[in-house]
Amino acid sequence: MSRVVHLHVGAPKTGTTYLQDRLMLNARSLAQHGVTIPTKNRFVDADLFHFRAALDLLGQDWGGDPGHAVGSWDAMVRRVRRAPGASIISHEILAAAKPDKIAKALNDLAGCEVHVVYSARDLGRQLPAAWQESVKQGRKWTFRRFLNKVERGQTWFQKALDLPTVLDRWSVKVPPERVHVVTVPHGRTADELWHRFAEAFSVDPAWAPRDSERANRSLGIAETQLIRRLNRRLELTIRREQTYDALIRELLAQRELVSRESIPVRLPPNRFDWADQQADRWIDWLKGSGVHVVGDIDDLRPRRPAEDAEWHNPDRVGAKLQLDAALDSLSVMTREAAARPDPERALGHRVRENAKRLRRR
């Protein structure tokens, strides 16, 4: 019997952070039922290993020291081939993989029964989330410019979020019955989304009883504008250095600023006609494709706000809102700086300790 591999390729902003954490938390329980979540070793979290494997497959190198991902995809394939039963590989950056990279992935997994899993969310929710994510990753563009580029097909996000484009590439050598599309429900609860993923992976939801508290939560308009303007002040090479990224993306964007009460980023009312057209195209593609859809296909249709609902432009945020967010950020950064050891003092301490050890010899 061939090994079964479920290859979850995205899309970004479809609950992937929650999913990957839940898989990792329940890796032992899943293994007892014949489902492996491959990892490198006990010192490297499974989600980091999957990220590095995806980077290596795609020939990309970011999020760490140069060369940090080299060899990770081959290591992933070796672990899958050694695993009994089924395996799950998951990372959302695989969604935009080019045909040659997809061919390599499927060739490397030859002899396995490969299933492709793709999670999709309506553009009314996904585009605001994707813009915020791009800003957290260091981009400087306004919401308007981002949306214009998406509509023209000029961004990585569009290549990763457009369901027919992604699945036309990933399903070339995979039978439609082995392609599974998970729709993200409106007003979703994490448990409902997990049940949908579980069905796509052919696992019993009860095999992963530990719930995850992780979620890639959204920023408000003031917080996103603050991070965007900070990105503009910093050179991109500096902004993407590991130390700066940890401070700006992890400490500020993902830990502190998401906790503030703020006005959410919403799709502009004049963009819903285009989003509706894309939803019609996605649904028509799915109905004619024969792939397995898990969830309600109408979840892919954006829900328009009420006609009297006020829309706040994320590119024009009042000075007071930005100042409040900036002061909160400054206080967080100040506490963080105070808590960190002085590098010169730490160096001096190490020199003195080494000198003491030498004198005792």
Side-chain angles (χ1 to χ4, degrees), residues 285-318:
W285 189 96
L286 287 171
K287 289 180 177 178
S289 66
V291 305
H292 176 214
V293 178
V294 184
D296 188 345
I297 202 169
D298 284 329
D299 284 331
L300 300 177
R301 298 188 186 279
R303 293 184 177 177
R304 292 176 182 259
E307 291 185 2
D308 59 348
E310 184 178 4
W311 178 71
H312 298 270
N313 189 343
D315 297 329
R316 296 184 178 181
V317 182

Side-chain angles (χ1 to χ4, degrees), residues 155-209:
T155 71
W156 177 89
F157 277 99
Q158 193 277 339
K159 295 178 177 65
L161 303 183
D162 188 67
L163 184 150
T165 299
V166 173
L167 293 184
D168 276 339
R169 291 193 303 259
W170 273 102
S171 63
V172 168
K173 294 185 179 180
V174 180
E177 64 271 17
R178 294 187 193 169
V179 178
H180 313 273
V181 176
V182 176
T183 64
V184 178
H186 285 277
R188 69 177 174 89
T189 64
D191 194 56
E192 181 179 1
L193 184 60
W194 165 242
H195 275 73
R196 294 187 182 188
F197 274 120
E199 180 179 340
F201 294 140
S202 297
V203 304
D204 186 327
W207 295 352

